[in-house]
Every structure is written in C-alpha cells, then in structure tokens.
Amino acid sequence: MVEDRGKDVIDSLSAEEWLSRAQEVVPMALEKARKVKVFPSRWKMIVSKLEQIPTRLSDLSSHPCFSKNALCKEQLQAVTKTMNEAIELAELCILEKYEGKLRMQSDLDALSGKLDLNLRDCGLLIKTGVLGEVTLPSCAATTSAEPEAALHGNIRELLARLQIGHLEAKHRALDSLVEVMKEDEKNVLAVLGRSNIAAIIQLLTATSPRMREKTVTIICSLAESGSCENWLVSEGVLPPLIRLVESGSPVGKEKATISLQRLSMSAETARSIVGHGGVRPLIEICRTGDSVSQASSACTLKNISAVPEVRQTLAEEGIVKLMVNLLDCGILLGSKEYAAECLQNLTSSNDSLRKSVISEGGVRSLLTYLDGPLPQESAVSALRNLVALLSMDDIISLGVIPRLVHVLKSGSLGAQQAAASAICKICSSTEMKKVLGEAGCISLLVRMLEAKANGAREVAAQALSSLMTLSHNCREVKKDDKSVPNLVQLLDPSPQNTAKKYVVSCLSLLSSSKKCKKLMISYGAIGYLKKLNEMDIPGSKKLLERLERGKLRSLFTRN
C-alpha cells in the first residue's frame, strides 16, 4: 500500500516538477562523479555524458508544448532515475565499498548505456517533432472537440514510443500498435511518417525474437496497405526481412515472405531482393515451408522472374526444377498458379531456360496443370514458349494438341490467345497441319475471329492463314458459315486492327471458290481492299483484282 501511494505521488507530479527534480539532481551527480578516483576511464566517460544532460533538459523545457506532453514527463522521470543511480554508484566508488571489481565495472557500463539512452531519447523528442504533436492521451480523449485529431495524437505518441525508452516499453508500444493496426489501420497510415517507418525497421534486428515477430507483423500490414512501399525499401527493410526468411520463427518467416511478396511487385525492388541474397532463402521456403509461406515465396519468385536480367541468377539457384515440382505438388492451388506464371516468365525469351524446363519435365507438368481447375493462361503461355523446341512425336505423344483444342473451346480469352499462338508455332509441317485440322481447331479459330481483343483476333487469323495452306484445312474453313463474314470484317483498315495482313492471306486462299468470292463481295470486301491496297498490305492488290473480275463476270452474266 505504501508503495502504491508512492507511485501515485510520482504520477501526480507535473512535467515542471519533474524538470525541477532533474535539474536539482544533475549537479549533484556531476559533483559526485568528478570525485571518484577508481575506474578512471569509465568515470571520465560518464562525466562527459552527464555534462550534456543540462543542455538536453533546457531544450525540452523551452519547447512550447513541454508541459502538455506525456512523453516529456516520462523522459524527465527516466533522467532523474538515472541521475540517482549515478549518485549511488559514485558514492560506493568514493568509499570503495562495492562488492567486487567486475560487478562494479558491469554496473558502470550499464549506467553509461542508460545515459546514452537518455541523451538519445531527449534528442529524438526534439528531432522527430513529437513534442508538438503528442499530448496527454487522457486529456485529448476527454476534451478534444475533434475526436480524429485526438486519435491521431494518440497514434503519434504510440509511434514515438517505438523510438524512445527501454526495451520493455518498446515491447508494450509494439503490442499496442499491432492492436491499433488491426482495428484502425487507416488512421495509423494517415499519421505515419518516414522516421516512424525507419524506427520500426530498426526493431526488426532486435535481439528479442518476440519483438522481431511483432515488428514484422506491423511491417507486413504496412507492405500490404500499398501506401508506403517506397519508404520501407529506402529505409532498408529488405535485408532484415530476408534474414527473417532465413532464420526467423515460423510466424516471422510467414510475415516476412508476405511482405516480400508485396514489395517485389516493383521491378526495382525485385532486383534489390536478388542483390541482397534473397533468392536462396525464398527457394528454401518453397521447398520446406508451410502452405502460406510457400505460396508467398512462390509469388515473390514469380515477381522476380518478371525482370529479364535476373533470370539467369534464378536459374543458377535451381528455380526451374523448383517450379516444375510446385506445379506437381504445391500445397496450395495458389502455389501452382504462381509456378505456372514463373515458368511463363522464365521461358519468354531464353532458349537455354526453355531447354532446362523441358529437360526437367516441365511440359508434362504444364499439361497436367491444364487438366485441373486453375486459371490456364500462364500455363498455356509457358507451353507456347516451349512447343517450338519439341519434336512432332513429342507433341503428339504428350497430348499437347488435345489440350490446346480444349483451351480454345473453353478457356478464358487470354488462354485462348496463348493456345492459338502455340498452334502458330507448331503448324510448320504438312503433317502437323493435318493433325491440327483433324483435331477440330479450325472452327474454334474461326469463332475466335469475333473476339473483342485485337491480339486474340490477330493470332487466330495468323493460325488460320498457316493451317489453310493445307487444302483439307482450307475446305474445312469454306464449310464454316462464319468464316467469310468474320474474315471480311477484319479487313477493316483502322490501325487498331492488326489482323488484316493475315486475313488477306486467308481470303486469298478461299477466293478460288465462287461461293466464297460472292460472299466476300456481298459483305463489302472490295471497299475494304481498295483502302488496304493504298496501305500496301501484302496480297490485297491481287485479291482485289480477283474479286473485281468476279464481280464484272457476274454483272455480264446477269445482263
């Protein structure tokens, strides 16, 4: 009870009263410290730090918001407590009544550390501007006419506490900030400054695993918010995050990988992750981590693989085999999807990496993936990047063509476009064109000419123009009622229509049929071709002449 009353008396003192106490005790501590004869080097250092305290106290007391600031009062309490410890240790050294030399040396080192903390924290209160922003929360909550302003003040105080005070106080501040972030992330982000982020990042390297866990939880929320990625990266968050991925607790690893997943969406940051040695730990998490960590790491590696100049580094770390394995046995469906996207990136422009994916069994894994329920576009795109390196026997024996036809029939537009592009790459021989035609892709490509996306229409027309050089396939196109109307519509001369050169080729192959010529004329092909002829589109002049001859012949016949 006596102890509680003493605490109440201390808490009831004003900031001015605490300042007065500190100003009284600092000269006493200095006087005692200067009289000590033992441990001279340590006491000389302590004296030099004590001599700086009055200036810091003067800086604090001269601030306009000095008396209203909770942190200021707490800081004066901390300084006063340190001064009393200095006096006590100095008296023991003067009388040489300490228990042991090593014990006293340790106590003096601890005192020196506390003085450093007091000087640093006093400086931070001035430097960070929190003196002008933070007021006593109890007053703000009860008297403020603007609740949001009061709330912002409380959050600023909480953020300031992450930079000021001893470790346990920072622990408590972290706990509070984690809770506030859960309930009201928007207001935290509204008052967050660069210095606050720098202070939070510093706590990622704390010796306490518990503190690192709490800190990375906050970092993860900040990264996912999408509002301060640049500050996080510029203040050095990547190296400690990568170290946590390497050797953190399970929670720390999970939050660190999620943070890196979000930050790696920037190409510049993706390069930095590679530069800081982040690839190997991420690959290891993909191999051994839990489901969430595995998916986040796979997504981060996928983001990194979008940067062409780091793909070789990824390959040297074994990413190809890893992603093929993830396609087969990723814990979450998301991991498989990220693996397909990563393989699409890796195979987009590098024949060496394409061969590596093929040799690791990537084609078979991609085809198996296409049989499942996941989005198909990335897997089909990766397959498109690989098929040109496969032999006809491999394409047929692996079942590539039925999968492509299935995608054309029921896939998303992006997947259909990738499938049509793959068909363009493999229909280089007469035999392959025959197999493709018999597989039923002709009518599906004709329907694809109606797609809204220019790219999809272009690749469908390109695939048809190649397949139609085989007479059997050309007859299949003639039989389709939609073929001529869809193709003529794509003679549109506008710059947005990139399919027209392939359409001219398709229509030229069909123009040997009187029925098809009549249909072309009736749907307005001659008018389009006159404009294309002016634009020097290959084949347009010859096709125009053929249609105009047919039109004249038809006119004379009627006459």
Side-chain angles (χ1 to χ4, degrees):
M1 292 294 292
V2 173
E3 186 179 325
D4 289 344
R5 282 198 297 273
K7 186 177 183 301
D8 291 341
V9 169
I10 288 171
D11 288 343
S12 68
L13 294 177
S14 66
E16 287 85 355
E17 288 169 318
W18 275 110
L19 176 64
S20 178
R21 284 193 175 197
Q23 287 173 332
E24 286 174 10
V25 79
V26 171
M28 293 167 57
L30 258 173
E31 183 184 355
K32 295 278 186 183
R34 285 169 177 156
K35 289 180 180 178
V36 178
K37 303 299 181 185
V38 293
F39 310 109
S41 60
R42 282 180 167 82
W43 277 105
K44 184 179 179 181
M45 181 67 69
I46 289 168
V47 167
S48 70
K49 293 173 183 179
L50 287 169
E51 288 171 343
Q52 298 174 52
I53 295 290
T55 303
R56 297 298 170 91
L57 295 180
S58 175
D59 290 340
L60 284 179
S61 61
S62 61
H63 195 281
C65 297
F66 164 74
S67 61
K68 301 174 185 177
N69 194 283
L71 289 172
C72 212
K73 180 178 170 180
E74 290 173 20
Q75 190 55 40
L76 291 169
Q77 291 174 358
V79 169
T80 304
K81 184 179 178 183
T82 304
M83 295 303 105
N84 287 329
E85 288 182 25
I87 291 169
E88 184 181 336
L89 289 174
E91 287 174 346
L92 288 173
C93 286
I94 289 168
L95 299 173
E96 297 190 25
K97 287 187 176 181
Y98 43 86
E99 291 181 12
K101 187 175 180 181
L102 291 177
R103 170 73 180 272
M104 179 52 71
Q105 286 176 333
S106 176
D107 289 343
L108 292 177
D109 289 341
L111 173 63
S112 185
K114 288 177 183 178
L115 285 167
D116 283 334
L117 188 63
N118 291 155
L119 289 166
R120 173 185 168 277
D121 289 353
C122 286
L124 278 171
L125 279 172
I126 301 294
K127 182 181 176 183
T128 59
V130 293
L131 279 182
E133 297 172 341
V134 183
T135 56
L136 285 165
S138 57
C139 297
T142 55
T143 64
S144 176
E146 299 179 17
E148 188 172 301
L151 178 61
H152 285 185
N154 292 341
I155 293 170
R156 285 190 180 97
E157 177 180 330
L158 199 55
L159 292 167
R161 288 181 185 279
L162 295 178
Q163 303 178 63
I164 294 166
H166 52 80
L167 193 62
E168 193 52 43
K170 290 177 180 177
H171 263 303
R172 290 194 296 271
L174 274 174
D175 285 333
S176 300
L177 187 57
V178 168
E179 291 306 311
V180 173
M181 287 287 286
K182 287 178 185 175
E183 297 170 9
D184 196 358
E185 184 180 289
K186 182 181 175 183
N187 272 308
V188 174
L189 295 172
V191 300
L192 200 65
R194 187 168 189 152
S195 62
N196 303 130
I197 287 177
I200 293 169
I201 290 170
Q202 285 179 0
L203 297 178
L204 279 177
T205 57
T207 53
S208 162
R210 195 167 120 252
M211 179 170 275
R212 291 198 299 270
E213 260 188 30
K214 293 172 188 173
T215 304
V216 77
T217 299
I218 293 169
I219 294 285
C220 185
S221 296
L222 295 177
E224 288 189 306
S225 73
S227 60
C228 46
E229 297 103 314
N230 291 338
W231 279 352
L232 286 167
V233 174
S234 64
E235 291 299 329
V237 79
L238 296 180
L241 283 178
I242 291 167
R243 300 295 81 79
L244 277 175
V245 172
E246 279 182 314
S247 56
S249 65
V251 172
K253 287 182 178 182
E254 178 182 310
K255 296 297 183 183
T257 53
I258 293 171
S259 302
L260 289 173
Q261 174 185 346
R262 173 67 198 193
L263 295 172
S264 62
M265 291 170 69
S266 154
E268 186 177 346
T269 303
R271 290 187 197 96
S272 296
I273 291 171
V274 176
H276 288 297
V279 174
R280 188 167 295 176
L282 288 166
I283 285 178
E284 189 59 29
I285 288 287
C286 280
R287 289 182 180 136
T288 62
D290 61 29
S291 56
V292 175
S293 296
Q294 184 190 76
S296 297
S297 296
C299 185
T300 306
L301 290 168
K302 179 265 296 184
N303 292 342
I304 294 171
S305 71
V307 183
E309 60 265 33
V310 302
R311 287 174 188 157
Q312 191 55 45
T313 302
L314 292 173
E316 289 165 4
E317 295 289 353
I319 196 170
V320 171
K321 185 174 183 178
L322 172 74
M323 290 301 163
V324 171
N325 287 339
L326 278 183
L327 270 184
D328 293 330
C329 50
I331 301 172
L332 295 179
L333 294 179
S335 298
K336 296 187 175 189
E337 187 178 348
Y338 296 137
E341 292 178 51
C342 187
L343 289 174
Q344 177 192 351
N345 291 337
L346 292 172
T347 57
S348 62
S349 60
N350 188 313
D351 266 353
S352 173
L353 287 174
R354 288 171 184 158
K355 290 173 183 176
S356 179
V357 172
I358 292 170
S359 66
E360 292 291 351
V363 175
R364 194 179 299 278
S365 296
L366 286 165
L367 292 171
T368 303
Y369 173 95
L370 287 176
D371 292 334
L374 292 166
Q376 299 174 322
E377 184 173 343
S378 297
V380 183
S381 296
L383 197 59
R384 172 202 61 203
N385 296 339
L386 299 172
V387 288
L389 298 180
L390 298 176
S391 68
M392 180 178 171
D393 288 343
D394 286 338
I395 289 171
I396 292 172
S397 64
L398 289 169
V400 173
I401 293 172
R403 262 51 164 253
L404 293 177
V405 172
H406 176 71
V407 172
L408 285 177
K409 189 179 296 182
S410 57
S412 66
L413 183 58
Q416 289 176 352
Q417 184 173 334
S421 181
I423 288 170
C424 291
K425 290 179 179 291
I426 62 177
C427 63
S428 54
S429 69
T430 301
E431 288 179 85
M432 189 57 75
K433 289 174 185 177
K434 183 180 178 183
V435 173
L436 285 163
E438 291 172 348
C441 66
I442 299 288
S443 60
L444 297 171
L445 290 169
V446 170
R447 296 299 179 276
M448 199 171 160
L449 296 172
E450 301 170 357
K452 291 182 179 179
N454 289 323
R457 295 196 299 266
E458 178 183 4
V459 75
Q462 183 182 3
L464 282 171
S465 68
S466 183
L467 289 168
M468 286 171 65
T469 57
L470 186 68
S471 58
H472 176 271
N473 292 338
C474 193
R475 285 195 297 272
E476 288 298 311
V477 176
K478 288 175 185 177
K479 290 177 186 177
D480 194 310
D481 293 339
K482 289 264 188 179
S483 60
V484 172
N486 287 351
L487 287 165
V488 171
Q489 190 175 6
L490 291 178
L491 288 173
D492 178 6
S494 66
Q496 293 79 14
N497 175 27
T498 52
K500 47 186 175 281
K501 62 180 178 179
Y502 301 113
V503 171
V504 170
S505 175
C506 292
L507 290 172
S508 296
L509 290 166
L510 292 174
S511 64
S512 59
S513 162
K514 291 181 180 179
K515 179 185 173 184
C516 289
K517 276 198 291 189
K518 286 179 181 179
L519 282 172
M520 290 179 210
I521 293 166
S522 66
Y523 280 101
I526 290 177
Y528 283 133
L529 287 167
K530 285 179 178 177
K531 293 178 181 177
L532 295 183
N533 191 31
E534 294 172 3
M535 298 167 65
D536 290 329
I537 299 297
S540 60
K541 183 178 180 181
K542 189 174 180 180
L543 179 57
L544 175 61
E545 290 171 352
R546 189 175 295 175
L547 293 185
E548 284 184 326
R549 281 201 306 270
K551 188 177 181 182
L552 284 170
R553 201 175 290 122
S554 174
L555 179 63
F556 288 136
T557 302
R558 285 200 302 273
N559 289 336

